[in-house]
Amino acid sequence: MTTQPETATSGAEAARGVPNQPPAAAAPITKPSGFAATDVLVNEFEEGPDTVQRAAATPDELQPHADLGLKDDEYTRIREILGRRPTASELAMYSIMWSEHCSYKSSKVHLREFVKKVPKNTRMLAGIGENAGVVQISEKIAVTFKVESHNHPSYVEPYQGAATGVGGIVRDILAMGARPVAVMDPLRFGAADHPDTARVLPGVVAGIGGYGNCLGLPNIGGEIVFDPCYQGNPLVNALSIGVLPVERLQKKEATGVGNVVVLLGARTGRDGIGGVSVLASATFDEEAEQRRPSVQVGDPFMEKLLIESCLELYDAGLVSGIQDLGGAGLTCALTETAAAAGTGMRVWLERVPLREASMSPTEILASESQERMLLIVTPENLDKVLAVAEKWGVWATAIGEVTAASADGSPGRLLITWNDHVVVDVPPGSLADDGPVYERPMREPSDLILLQADRAETLPRPANAEELRETVLRMIASPNLCDKTWVTEQYDRYVLGNTVLAQPEDSGVLRIDEETGLGVALSVDGNGRFARLDPYEGAKLALAEAYRNVAVTGAEPIAVTDCLNFGSPEDPAVMWQFAQAVNGLADGCQQLGTPVTGGNVSFYNQTGAAAIHPTPVVGVMGIFDDVTRRIPMGFPAPAKAGGDLLYLLGETRLELSGSEWAWVTHGHLGGRPPKVDLAAEQALGALMGRASKAGLVSAAHDLSDGGLSQVLVESCLRYNVGAKVTLPEDGTSPFVHLFSESAGRAVVAVPRGHEKAFTALAAEHGVPCTPIGVTSEETALEVRGQFSIPLDELRTAFSATLRDLFGGTAELVSRHAEATEAEPTAVRSVTLEITDPQAPGGPIGNA
Amino acid sequence: MRIGVVTFPGSLDDGDAARAARIAGAEAVRLWHGDPDLHRVDAVVLPGGFSYGDYLRCGAIARFAPVMESIIDAARGGLPVLGICNGFQVLCEAHLLPGALTRNQHLHFRNRDQWLRVEATNTAWTNRFAPGQEILIPVKNGEGCFVADQRTLDQLEGEGRVIARYIRGNPNGSQRDIAGITNEAGNVVGIMPHPEHAVEALTGPSLDGLGFFTSVLRSLAGASADGQLAGGQQR
């Protein structure tokens, strides 16, 4: 039976919680029903829990290891480690911790490249292996940032899947000692007009907004990409960034024998059981929807309280160690904190506050209920910790204590009881660190040679100026290039008051220090099509794009996080793509001098035999000494007659393979992606940094998907400022100038009077700098000798697409006016009765 | 001048409101939901956010917080109170302002830079605007659709108590494009858009939000200071 503890035990005080939330009442024990994942885990009720004693006595009892995702040899190894069969709880713990999601068993051998090739860096305070990487940005201040996937849950249950994706990454940031200050979301969906996209996208966007907005974190950027390869496997990646005083950096080690293990935050329920093992570490089949119980359910209000209480605890110096509970729940937090310190741990599982009293010990250990943190505190600080929790109305419960390492010096054991039954007795390191490691077979995809031979450069192109004009309009209305306001206006970008730039700008820019103007820029980018054509170069291109996006705002790129989204590692072709991408990213980071500080691998983004395009998503962070010098992407209203001068930086080549144009107009994917020249990216970045410091540039926009055409349209529409553009006559056709996706390029606007200084600076950095025209007081985008399109016409094409597809948010003023005329008073009074039950019929307001 | 900013569990824009008060030249004083003491503040801001998770109904639980008991009493005695977004919802739930804020008509949370027309400049929080002045302030809410019965709406209009209206687009379906209202005495104002996010050129779409905070300083300075400040009224 599960009850709240009544008495203190071993120095750990009784549970305390929110006064108005009664402790979980004892309930009759019944076998829970209905949950596929749970049924596999729970068989312990008929004869009481499966104890260590019982396991030793019944060595031959059949166990459902295969159903839990454990291979036969993995099961054999568990038996060797324990010297007996595992208990039901232990088996569940091994299956979770040794899952692909937690153990990185397929990726580990490749991820070592990041460590092997890490560039020299003095800023890094914590790196790969921690909850998130921490980078020092000034003498006193550090930032921590990381991107993670929540792909599978978001497909099964879009709203909660995406919401808890935000919640999870925010807790990672919090666990490092930082106050989370912003989020970003790189998203990928199937075809924009597919009926299931209409189910997934609005739910995902509402979930991200619903959680992030309620948490008070500005959403400052991200990506929305549509491609049929993501139809059955949308990608919902979430990035968060936090800020901390350098000395507040937290550790996860459960040090100090006798220290108390405190569970802080929400009560534990049956949601998310099997999330990492059943859901995240297997490919989808037709029964994906039945896995809904494996998706966690979020409560952003609780997370907000959790953040505030943790920060107060850090500042008061009350925390010796801390770990968030996310995927793998209590199992992961207990084993990782103990394993990191080499200590043991003694846990009384019946003390865990529950939402449902009938939960079995296995369920409590496997639950992925959200908004929980595990704290290690000294016994003398326990009362203070509980008082802070009570102030914020958060449950805090002493559930265990840190125990000594073994007498022979070997690490301690994790001993877990449930109402005096010993249900777990394991070496924590065997779960956290000694999981299986595979060198999976790899083979280049058999279709790659043919795919690379099928180049887009040979496709038919617009034949005349009129067709070119139509192509511009068609491209900006295509789902990947169109205005994303329908999505981004569902996110709060203002809260906290430090958002300097947010979507649709190239980077999100945050002020970190109000006194000095110290700030950061962040961009996340990835291009699955390029990576499909060449995963090594594709990963480098993603890095180059994110780096460039940060650099064109004037920031200095310093660190990287990544989310590697791939198909099944059991497919040699996928494994080859993965290894190539990791190598490309590691080589790129080494060359740019920007270390990978942490990230996440998401495998099994695959339905049946169909894997997604390999999709490495790369986040780059840069710093500003003074964020007031950031460069926005929109052309400013001309300050002087004749407008600002426009320059194209970088070199345009005939590079159309994998481009948005090839996809939109021909449904074509083939050839080789654009060439990457990281030295050129660095030169461009250095130029933009200098130009920003010297105040030479009024706007800058990175060229990527959709090429120059897209950039001109976006920069014009941002502040409704026209441009007159003259394409260089250098033998390259106007079409290629407008739609090639060559890397290493940007368009800048230079106010008159600064042109000599700017072009000299460009020459000094060896960056090709071609004058391409001027901004204009006429509200049209004119490409001389080709076409002129009024900005209103561009805006109509650019902004209608998502609204037409997903509906709903057309201007309300006209609709409201119509409704008012058509349906007068009656409708209003009905609305009132429903929405204001406090004052039915009577006068409202009595001030 | 001391402007108090209340923090409920789940308040999010409390830091921003305090910053705006400071930029306007006031001393920002943080008030805690569980503490009924108003700490000698001269005015109070109820900030945006999701107080108590917006459970039950937006503002419905916050209205019963100990600090609100004191604020309700003080507001009836003339204390200037500005409710922004969630704070507006709290003021309606507390019956310091009429009407209610319901789910946006399009059912989505919406964040955008919104043009407003200031309609009433005789309140504690809007006296530094010119009548009819158009201002640009961020709006961000999921439940910002102002509704009231016909009689209440007519009364608000008739008494000049609609302080600001949405123009160039209504972001949430509010009746008669109402963005903010005041009580009969003009000391209590509720507004759905967020003036505290339009107080710095670096982070806001304009500086128009500052007017709300400088207005209350002027009304607190009273008639004697009125003459001195009048010259700076137009921005």
Side-chain angles (χ1 to χ4, degrees):
Chain A
M1 301 259 285
T2 304
T3 56
Q4 289 296 306
E6 298 292 331
T7 52
T9 318
S10 309
E13 204 172 309
R16 283 189 202 164
V18 184
N20 64 1
Q21 288 183 290
I29 291 170
T30 51
K31 186 176 156 87
S33 62
F35 297 165
T38 320
D39 283 346
V40 175
L41 294 172
V42 180
N43 62 353
E44 347 173 57
F45 278 98
E46 276 139 38
E47 305 153 40
D50 190 21
T51 61
V52 168
Q53 200 181 4
R54 192 170 165 275
T58 56
D60 301 326
E61 188 168 295
L62 283 177
Q63 293 194 283
H65 67 270
D67 295 333
L68 293 171
L70 286 164
K71 305 264 185 292
D72 288 344
D73 56 335
E74 292 172 347
Y75 178 68
T76 309
R77 241 190 88 204
I78 296 167
R79 295 190 69 126
E80 284 166 15
I81 289 168
L82 298 176
R84 56 173 163 79
R85 76 161 174 85
T87 65
S89 292
E90 288 165 345
L91 183 66
M93 290 172 78
Y94 278 100
S95 83
I96 293 167
M97 292 303 290
W98 287 11
S99 69
E100 186 65 55
H101 184 91
C102 288
S103 72
Y104 289 80
K105 56 188 168 191
S106 305
S107 55
K108 223 173 208 170
V109 294
H110 301 286
L111 297 175
R112 286 178 191 143
E113 291 295 309
F114 290 136
V115 178
K116 212 160 67 188
K117 294 174 183 165
V118 69
K120 276 208 181 94
N121 193 294
T122 53
R123 294 178 179 276
M124 204 119 102
L125 302 182
I128 294 171
E130 298 294 335
N131 286 305
V134 180
V135 182
Q136 191 164 356
I137 62 165
S138 77
E139 199 184 317
K140 291 180 180 162
I141 300 177
V143 297
T144 173
F145 73 122
K146 189 172 143 186
V147 60
E148 238 182 27
S149 63
H150 225 222
N151 303 338
H152 282 79
S154 302
Y155 177 68
V156 175
E157 212 301 289
Y159 185 98
Q160 291 297 347
T164 54
V166 175
I169 191 66
V170 165
R171 281 194 305 282
D172 277 337
I173 296 306
L174 178 63
M176 298 311 294
R179 172 178 281 282
V181 293
V183 293
M184 297 175 100
D185 289 277
L187 307 176
R188 287 178 176 60
F189 300 102
D193 54 0
H194 190 286
D196 198 48
T197 304
R199 170 187 74 95
V200 177
L201 182 143
V204 164
V205 171
I208 291 167
Y211 205 96
N213 297 344
C214 188
L215 217 45
L217 296 179
N219 192 311
I220 58 170
E223 297 174 284
I224 299 144
V225 178
F226 298 95
D227 190 289
C229 77
Y230 304 111
Q231 200 66 62
N233 291 89
L235 303 184
V236 176
N237 294 177
L239 179 148
S240 181
I241 178 168
V243 181
L244 64 152
V246 170
E247 69 278 3
R248 204 171 72 189
L249 182 64
Q250 298 294 316
K251 298 192 180 78
K252 67 177 165 189
E253 280 87 353
T255 50
V257 174
N259 278 353
V260 186
V261 179
V262 174
L263 185 60
L264 181 74
R267 288 183 292 167
T268 300
R270 279 207 177 91
D271 56 330
I273 290 175
V276 294
S277 50
V278 183
L279 198 53
S281 299
T283 52
F284 273 150
D285 51 32
E286 284 163 8
E287 287 161 3
E289 287 210 356
Q290 291 174 15
R291 294 184 178 167
R292 220 171 266 148
S294 292
V295 179
Q296 311 88 331
V297 177
D299 176 359
F301 175 57
M302 178 57 78
E303 181 118 326
K304 167 72 177 167
L305 301 178
L306 194 60
I307 291 171
E308 298 303 334
S309 20
C310 283
L311 292 172
E312 194 167 327
L313 292 169
Y314 298 153
D315 284 337
L318 297 174
V319 180
S320 307
I322 187 161
Q323 169 80 321
D324 65 299
L325 276 75
L330 209 45
T331 292
C332 179
L334 294 173
T335 54
E336 283 195 358
T337 50
T343 50
M345 207 177 267
R346 170 78 175 83
V347 175
W348 291 265
L349 211 53
E350 71 279 2
R351 295 184 185 176
V352 173
L354 300 178
R355 283 182 209 153
E356 296 162 83
S358 62
M359 285 175 72
S360 74
T362 305
E363 288 176 312
I364 298 168
L365 286 165
S367 164
E368 294 186 9
S369 286
Q370 299 289 291
E371 294 93 25
R372 298 180 297 163
M373 302 289 275
L374 192 76
L375 272 53
I376 312 297
V377 304
T378 60
E380 56 271 24
N381 281 336
L382 181 64
D383 276 345
K384 291 178 200 155
V385 169
L386 298 180
V388 169
E390 194 164 319
K391 174 187 166 188
W392 287 101
V394 175
W395 283 80
T397 315
I399 62 164
E401 65 179 24
V402 178
T403 56
S406 306
D408 62 359
S410 63
R413 290 182 80 85
L414 173 61
L415 185 77
I416 301 178
T417 56
W418 182 72
N419 294 320
D420 299 330
H421 300 288
V422 179
V423 290
V424 174
D425 182 0
V426 296
S430 71
L431 285 145
D433 304 322
D434 304 337
V437 176
Y438 294 136
E439 296 209 26
R440 302 252 192 212
M442 301 188 283
R443 193 179 57 242
E444 185 181 304
S446 51
D447 63 353
L448 194 60
I449 288 179
L450 283 175
L451 192 67
Q452 289 179 339
D454 178 19
R455 301 167 64 239
E457 285 75 11
T458 59
L459 296 170
R461 305 176 193 172
N464 52 46
E466 183 52 34
E467 284 183 25
L468 201 54
R469 186 185 196 277
E470 276 168 28
T471 306
V472 169
L473 287 167
R474 180 173 174 193
M475 291 298 294
I476 60 170
S478 67
N480 286 341
L481 298 182
C482 72
D483 180 18
K484 302 299 190 298
T485 302
W486 187 90
V487 170
T488 58
E489 75 176 7
Q490 297 189 45
Y491 306 146
D492 183 349
R493 65 178 176 277
Y494 280 110
V495 64
L496 299 182
N498 287 313
T499 307
V500 177
L501 296 178
Q503 60 273 2
E505 298 283 343
D506 285 335
S507 295
V509 173
L510 295 171
R511 175 175 62 186
I512 300 295
D513 186 339
E514 284 187 45
E515 302 291 310
T516 63
L518 180 75
V520 297
L522 266 165
S523 179
V524 277
D525 293 284
N527 187 317
R529 288 192 199 120
F530 289 164
R532 174 74 174 91
L533 298 179
D534 186 335
Y536 179 88
E537 294 294 324
K540 271 189 169 180
L541 279 161
L543 171 67
E545 188 184 344
Y547 182 94
R548 193 182 329 124
N549 273 324
V550 165
V552 296
T553 64
E556 180 199 351
I558 56 165
V560 169
T561 180
D562 60 22
C563 190
L564 305 171
N565 305 279
F566 287 78
S568 166
E570 292 160 42
D571 177 345
V574 169
M575 214 50 227
W576 180 85
Q577 291 172 326
F578 179 78
Q580 290 284 311
V582 167
N583 263 310
L585 189 55
D587 287 347
C589 287
Q590 188 175 32
Q591 196 176 343
L592 290 174
T594 50
V596 174
T597 60
N600 161 252
V601 176
S602 173
F603 277 130
Y604 296 101
N605 294 290
Q606 180 153 348
T607 302
I612 60 163
H613 291 332
T615 312
V617 170
V618 180
V620 170
M621 186 190 67
I623 51 174
F624 280 103
D625 50 0
D626 179 2
V627 78
T628 58
R629 66 174 173 80
R630 86 293 186 196
I631 305 170
M633 66 167 249
F635 297 149
K640 290 185 185 172
D644 287 359
L645 299 157
L646 301 179
Y647 292 92
L648 174 65
L649 305 178
E651 200 183 327
T652 305
R653 291 175 287 264
L654 172 58
E655 293 181 313
L656 298 168
S657 290
S659 72
E660 203 56 42
W661 170 78
W663 180 258
V664 171
T665 59
H666 295 282
H668 181 275
L669 175 62
R672 286 184 179 275
K675 185 182 151 209
V676 198
D677 180 349
L678 293 177
E681 301 284 358
Q682 272 180 309
L684 178 67
L687 165 64
M688 292 307 299
R690 291 273 300 277
S692 158
K693 283 178 182 150
L696 300 177
V697 175
S698 62
H701 197 356
D702 132 88
L703 267 72
S704 55
D705 306 0
L708 178 63
S709 160
Q710 182 71 15
V711 159
L712 292 172
V713 170
E714 287 180 355
S715 291
C716 283
L717 290 182
R718 185 83 168 122
Y719 302 121
N720 206 40
V721 171
K724 292 180 193 296
V725 173
T726 308
L727 296 173
E729 291 184 19
D730 53 2
T732 303
S733 72
F735 166 78
V736 172
H737 271 300
L738 286 171
F739 291 102
S740 165
E741 295 187 7
S742 296
R745 297 184 301 158
V747 165
V748 292
V750 177
R752 282 177 195 270
H754 290 322
E755 64 268 30
K756 275 190 184 153
F758 182 79
T759 50
L761 202 58
E764 187 189 319
H765 285 88
V767 175
C769 176
T770 315
I772 57 164
V774 291
T775 61
S776 153
E777 273 151 14
E778 290 166 38
T779 50
L781 172 60
E782 180 186 342
V783 177
R784 292 223 164 100
Q786 299 297 326
F787 56 80
S788 176
I789 311 177
L791 296 190
D792 284 347
E793 189 178 350
L794 287 172
R795 179 170 286 108
T796 304
F798 183 56
S799 58
T801 311
L802 292 190
R803 201 174 57 218
D804 291 350
L805 281 166
F806 303 107
T809 63
E811 275 313 318
L812 282 163
V813 61
S814 52
R815 186 184 296 178
H816 179 61
E818 286 160 26
T820 312
E821 280 164 29
E823 308 156 285
T825 6
V827 172
R828 285 185 182 149
S829 59
V830 169
T831 312
L832 184 69
E833 281 168 24
I834 293 165
T835 54
D836 198 346
Q838 288 198 338
I844 298 168
N846 48 0
Chain B
M1 298 294 174
R2 291 161 61 84
I3 298 184
V5 178
V6 176
T7 299
F8 300 105
S11 289
L12 303 177
D13 298 305
D14 43 345
D16 301 75
R19 182 194 292 116
R22 279 196 302 274
I23 291 173
E27 182 191 347
V29 179
R30 307 302 285 267
L31 303 176
W32 180 245
H33 72 111
D35 177 6
D37 188 343
L38 296 184
H39 299 273
R40 300 174 288 104
V41 296
D42 304 300
V44 166
V45 178
L46 302 178
F50 292 71
S51 58
Y52 302 92
D54 273 354
Y55 292 138
L56 186 58
R57 207 168 53 237
C58 302
I61 302 176
R63 172 247 179 284
F64 293 103
V67 75
M68 280 306 296
E69 308 274 324
S70 310
I71 289 172
I72 291 168
D73 283 349
R76 292 196 172 126
L79 179 79
V81 178
L82 175 67
I84 302 168
C85 195
N86 193 227
F88 188 5
Q89 294 162 340
V90 174
L91 290 175
C92 289
E93 288 288 343
H95 290 209
L96 287 173
L97 292 174
L101 293 142
T102 60
R103 192 88 190 269
N104 292 352
Q105 262 187 3
H106 47 70
L107 306 181
H108 294 288
F109 185 96
R110 177 176 278 185
N111 176 9
R112 60 161 54 166
D113 299 339
Q114 177 68 43
W115 283 98
L116 309 176
R117 188 170 57 236
V118 181
E119 303 275 21
T121 56
N122 56 350
T123 78
W125 297 92
T126 57
N127 57 62
R128 293 198 67 128
F129 294 105
Q133 188 176 336
E134 296 187 353
I135 61 175
L136 184 65
I137 306 261
V139 66
K140 43 167 207 171
N141 60 65
E143 307 198 19
C145 176
F146 182 79
V147 296
D149 63 19
Q150 198 73 350
R151 190 160 50 96
T152 306
L153 290 170
D154 289 342
Q155 191 184 351
L156 285 171
E157 303 268 14
E159 295 172 2
R161 287 165 55 195
V162 174
I163 62 126
R165 243 184 265 275
Y166 301 115
I167 53 172
R168 291 168 223 172
N170 177 334
N172 46 37
S174 282
Q175 290 185 332
R176 304 195 190 179
D177 298 331
I178 289 173
I181 57 172
T182 185
N183 63 348
E184 283 166 22
N187 64 313
V188 178
V189 165
I191 184 158
M192 213 57 212
H194 289 256
E196 81 282 16
H197 291 316
V199 296
E200 290 184 281
L202 184 67
T203 54
S206 74
L207 300 181
D208 293 344
L210 217 45
F212 288 84
F213 298 89
T214 54
S215 288
V216 77
L217 294 184
R218 177 157 93 169
S219 73
L220 289 170
S224 61
D226 211 9
Q228 294 166 14
L229 288 167
Q233 180 175 348
Q234 300 304 324
R235 293 156 310 110

